[in-house]
Amino acid sequence: MTSPFRKGLLGLAAATAAVALALTGCSSGGTPYTSGAALPDAKQNLTFVPNYAVPSTDVTKNPLEMGTNQVMSNVLQALVKLNDKSVPEPQLATSWDWTDPTTLVFKLRKNVKFSDGADFTATNVKNSFDRYIAQKQALAAALSVITSYEADDSAGTFTVHTKAPTGTLVGILALVYIGEGAATDDAAWSKPVGTGAFVLSDYVPNDHVTLTRNKSYWGTKAKLKTVTFKLITDTNAKITALSNGQVQVLNDVTNDQIPTVKGMSNVTFTQRSGLTYYFLWFENQHKPLDDVRVRKAMWEALDLPTIVKSLYGETASTMDSFCPSAAFGCLPAEGMPKYDPEDAKKLLADAGYPNGFSTDVIFSTANSGLNDLATAFVSAWKSVGITVQPRAEDGTSWLADFTALKWDMDLQPNQTITGDADYTLNRLYSCAAKRLGYCNPDLDALMTKAQQATDAGERKDLYQKVVNIMAKDVPAIPLFQSTSNVAALKTVKGLKIPPSEFIDWSGVYLTN
C-alpha cells in the first residue's frame, strides 16, 4: 500500500472527520457504579434495541439498509473496514495497492475460515461481487466504475479494474460483504455463512434478530454468547425495558426521554455527532412533483428550524447541504430554499396548482420519531393548499414499497457511511442510481470528475458546484443531521459506537 496513487487516496480519506462513541466511562450522573466481574459465559446474552428495523438479512439485496447492515456487519466481513475517521483498514484483505491508476490489487488474509469450517478463498470474493452487481440495488451506481475483476486462489489475490481512477472505491468496498454462497443462491444469502465473529441464528421480521458467537472465528472470539436485536417501536416501552433489565443497550433515545435516562443511576447515557441525517425524497417523475416549482414550494412551506427544534431539541440540527457536515465534501449549498409560505403559494399557482393538489408520503414505523415529523409536515403543507396522505408502514412493507417506487414522497434517515460526499451524492443522485426519478447529466459530469480527482481541494471545489446545482434542482429536501443518543446499563462493558452506528459486538461483555 505504498504507491503514490495510494498515498493520495489515504490523504483524502484522512480528511474526513468523525467521532467514535465510547460508552464506557461516560456516566451521565447518578450513583457511581463499581464494576463487578464478568458474568459467566452462560449469562453473556445481551439484548439491544436498535434505531432501525431489519427488513431483510440478505445484505446484497438491501446493501445500504442501516438496520440490515447493523446486524450483518457482525456476521459477514468485507475486504476492508472503515475506522472511526472513515479511513479504510484491513479486514479480509491484509493489504491493497493501486498498481496503476485503474488497477487495484488486494492481498487476501490467509487461514480464514467461514463459520461452517470452509476455507475463505479469492473465489468467494468474486462470487460475492457477482452477487452484489447482479442485484442492481443501491450500490449499483457506486460499483459501476468497475469494469472487471478476477480471483487468483493460488496467489491469494483479488484484482479490480476500473474505467477511470477512482479515489473513493476502497471505502465503498467496505460495504461489499463476502459470503460463502454462490452468486445465484438466494436461499444461502437469506441466511448467509460468513467469516465474522457471530453467526445468524434466528430472524423474525419486524421483531428480532439473534446472533450467536462464531466458535471458529479466525480472530479474537466474541465475549458475548448471544446478541439479540429487539425491535421496540413504542418510546415508553423502550425505556421501561431498559429500566427493568429486559434490554441492556438502547439506541435512539428521544429528546423528551433524555432527562429520564440521565436520571437512572444504573445507566450510562452518551450523545455524540455522527454521519446520520434525515431527508425527504420526491419521486421526481411523478406529477406534479416533476415540476421543480412544486418541489420548491413544498420545501418553502416547511419551517424546518422551528419543526426540528420543537421535536428534537438539541439532538438534531437543520442541514445546509445534501449530506451531513461531518463528511468530507458536504459543503453548504448556495441558494437553498428557505421558509416562505407566501412564495410557496405563488410557485404553486405559477405551476398550475392555485388550489393545491393531493399526494402521499411513506415512512417506516421502526423509527419512532418519523410519525411526529410527518404530522408536522402534513400540517405545514395543508396551510399552502397541499393535501398529503401519510403512509406509516412496518419496516418490511416500507422497504418493499420504497424499492418499487410506490410512493410520491419518502421520509427516512440515512448515513454518509464512508465519510465522503461521493457516497451520498453520486450513489443517490446520479442518473445511473435511478433512485428517485432524478437525472442531471451536468451534475453527473461534475460528480464523476470529483470521484476521479486525488486532490482534496479540487474535490471540494467540484462538490461545491454539485450541491449548488442540487439546491436549484430540488430533487429532495435535506432535513436535519442527528446525534446518536445511546443508553446502556453500566453492567455493559467494551461498547463503542462508530460514526456509522454499525456496532462491532465482539468486544462487548456483561458484568454483574
Side-chain angles (χ1 to χ4, degrees):
M1 296 184 287
T2 57
S3 72
F5 189 74
R6 175 63 187 157
K7 289 179 180 177
L9 301 185
L10 285 176
L12 290 179
T16 62
V19 181
L21 299 177
L23 291 184
T24 53
C26 298
S27 175
S28 60
T31 305
Y33 180 82
T34 303
S35 175
L39 292 176
D41 189 65
K43 295 184 177 181
Q44 289 292 340
N45 303 297
L46 181 144
T47 299
F48 167 60
V49 179
N51 45 344
Y52 311 112
V54 184
S56 170
T57 53
D58 186 343
V59 71
T60 69
K61 291 187 174 181
N62 307 277
L64 302 179
E65 288 308 313
M66 291 180 284
T68 298
N69 273 274
Q70 280 185 329
V71 172
M72 300 313 296
S73 59
N74 287 275
V75 175
L76 301 169
Q77 295 179 307
L79 294 174
V80 300
K81 62 180 180 179
L82 299 176
N83 66 15
D84 293 341
K85 294 184 178 180
S86 301
V87 176
E89 292 183 343
Q91 195 167 56
L92 289 177
T94 56
S95 63
W96 56 92
D97 189 28
W98 287 94
T99 57
D100 64 52
T102 60
T103 304
L104 176 61
V105 180
F106 289 92
K107 185 69 175 178
L108 304 184
R109 191 177 298 278
K110 297 179 180 179
N111 302 316
V112 173
K113 292 185 179 294
F114 287 97
S115 59
D116 63 359
D119 290 333
F120 160 69
T121 68
T123 298
N124 297 127
V125 181
K126 180 182 182 301
N127 290 344
S128 298
F129 271 62
D130 288 345
R131 173 81 179 180
Y132 271 86
I133 291 173
Q135 296 307 309
K136 298 180 180 179
Q137 294 296 327
L139 273 179
L143 299 178
S144 64
V145 70
I146 297 174
T147 57
S148 63
Y149 44 86
E150 60 259 5
D152 188 335
D153 286 326
S154 60
T157 60
F158 183 73
T159 301
V160 177
H161 303 282
T162 63
K163 64 181 68 173
T166 309
T168 57
L169 181 60
V170 176
I172 290 292
L173 294 186
L175 300 170
V176 177
Y177 295 106
I178 310 305
E180 186 184 15
T184 58
D185 193 341
D186 286 351
W189 281 92
S190 68
K191 190 176 181 181
V193 175
T195 58
F198 291 90
V199 177
L200 176 64
S201 56
D202 187 34
Y203 170 54
V204 177
N206 299 313
D207 188 79
H208 73 275
V209 185
T210 298
L211 306 182
T212 303
R213 180 192 301 136
N214 177 4
K215 296 179 181 179
S216 60
Y217 180 48
W218 60 269
T220 303
K221 303 295 187 295
K223 298 178 181 180
L224 290 172
K225 183 178 180 181
T226 67
V227 55
T228 297
F229 296 71
K230 176 63 177 176
L231 183 63
I232 302 176
T233 58
D234 182 83
T235 302
N236 291 327
K238 291 180 184 181
I239 302 300
T240 299
L242 181 70
S243 66
N244 63 24
Q246 287 180 302
V247 305
Q248 288 77 38
V249 183
L250 169 63
N251 205 348
D252 195 29
V253 178
T254 58
N255 183 60
D256 60 334
Q257 291 285 9
I258 289 176
T260 299
V261 169
K262 284 185 174 181
M264 299 167 68
S265 62
N266 64 334
V267 169
T268 292
F269 173 75
T270 301
Q271 181 181 87
R272 293 288 189 274
S273 60
L275 297 169
T276 299
Y277 69 103
Y278 285 67
F279 63 61
L280 183 135
W281 264 6
F282 299 110
E283 216 307 335
N284 284 237
Q285 294 183 355
H286 287 189
K287 290 186 177 299
L289 301 175
D290 59 341
D291 191 320
V292 66
R293 293 170 295 183
V294 172
R295 300 194 299 271
K296 185 178 180 182
M298 298 198 75
W299 190 333
E300 290 186 346
L302 302 177
D303 183 359
L304 286 175
T306 299
I307 293 172
V308 171
K309 181 70 174 179
S310 64
L311 292 179
Y312 299 97
E314 300 304 317
T315 69
S317 58
T318 52
M319 298 173 69
D320 57 13
S321 191
F322 287 82
C323 51
S325 58
F328 175 84
C330 291
L331 305 169
E334 298 173 6
M336 293 265 278
K338 305 294 184 182
Y339 176 56
D340 190 341
E342 292 308 311
D343 190 59
K345 293 176 183 177
K346 181 179 182 300
L347 285 169
L348 290 173
D350 291 345
Y353 301 96
N355 299 317
F357 60 92
S358 297
T359 186
D360 69 17
V361 60
I362 66 168
F363 57 92
S364 171
T365 57
N367 189 298
S368 57
L370 289 183
N371 187 68
D372 289 343
L373 187 63
T375 299
F377 286 179
V378 168
S379 176
W381 287 321
K382 185 177 181 180
S383 68
V384 297
I386 302 171
T387 300
V388 178
Q389 175 63 43
R391 290 167 47 199
E393 302 179 338
D394 65 72
T396 302
S397 299
W398 168 83
L399 180 60
D401 283 347
F402 174 69
T403 304
L405 299 180
K406 294 181 179 179
W407 48 274
D408 291 329
M409 294 184 292
D410 168 65
L411 181 61
Q412 70 172 91
N414 208 327
Q415 294 172 324
T416 304
I417 300 172
T418 65
D420 191 289
D422 174 76
Y423 172 81
T424 287
L425 303 182
N426 197 16
R427 177 180 62 86
L428 297 181
Y429 298 102
S430 66
C431 296
K434 297 180 180 179
R435 301 298 304 280
L436 66 165
Y438 172 65
C439 176
N440 184 329
D442 292 337
L443 190 79
D444 278 19
L446 288 169
M447 292 193 294
T448 298
K449 193 173 181 180
Q451 188 182 65
Q452 297 173 4
T454 59
D455 179 76
E458 179 184 0
R459 294 186 76 227
K460 283 186 176 181
D461 290 342
L462 289 165
Y463 282 127
Q464 184 67 69
K465 295 178 181 178
V466 167
V467 296
N468 290 350
I469 289 174
M470 293 179 68
K472 182 179 179 181
D473 287 353
V474 195
I477 305 177
L479 300 174
F480 58 89
Q481 50 197 31
S482 63
T483 58
S484 294
N485 307 309
V486 183
L489 297 182
K490 293 182 180 179
T491 53
V492 177
K493 302 300 174 185
L495 178 61
K496 295 182 179 180
I497 299 184
S500 67
E501 300 182 64
F502 299 169
I503 301 170
D504 177 0
W505 291 98
S506 63
V508 179
Y509 64 99
L510 299 173
T511 63
N512 56 27

